[in-house]
Amino acid sequence: MTSDQLRAALNPQAFRPFSIRTADGREYFISHPESVLFSSSGRTIAISTPHDTIEIVDLLLVASLSIGAERKTGRRRRAG
């Protein structure tokens, strides 16, 4: 993924929540455009997580971006 592609997804005028999945299977839910900070080179990003931590991700390792994805809570819905 390029920094330009991610910046387009973070555009405040057209922002929709999305998930970033890395090549090793980690997934980050982006609920707000200000949750992501680009390094000066544009190669890495810092993601603010709901647990008050910061994850550093190399954009070359981003495998997919799912726009409109819902946050996974770990709970299953009951049928019926």
Side-chain angles (χ1 to χ4, degrees):
M1 167 158 290
T2 68
S3 61
D4 288 339
Q5 290 170 319
L6 183 55
R7 285 180 204 276
L10 291 167
N11 180 342
Q13 286 77 30
F15 181 79
R16 290 177 45 202
F18 62 90
S19 291
I20 294 174
R21 183 180 301 261
T22 60
D24 63 0
R26 292 178 292 160
E27 189 168 4
Y28 303 97
F29 181 74
I30 309 301
S31 61
H32 193 276
E34 293 180 358
S35 298
V36 178
L37 175 70
F38 287 84
S39 67
S40 58
S41 69
R43 181 175 170 185
T44 57
I45 56 173
I47 300 172
S48 174
T49 71
H51 306 291
D52 291 331
T53 62
I54 302 292
E55 294 284 334
I56 307 298
V57 178
D58 188 326
L59 284 178
L60 294 175
L61 299 178
V62 173
S64 67
L65 188 141
S66 299
I67 295 177
E70 294 183 22
R71 178 181 299 195
K72 293 181 180 176
T73 62
R75 293 188 218 161
R76 292 184 182 181
R77 286 186 160 167
R78 289 185 180 186

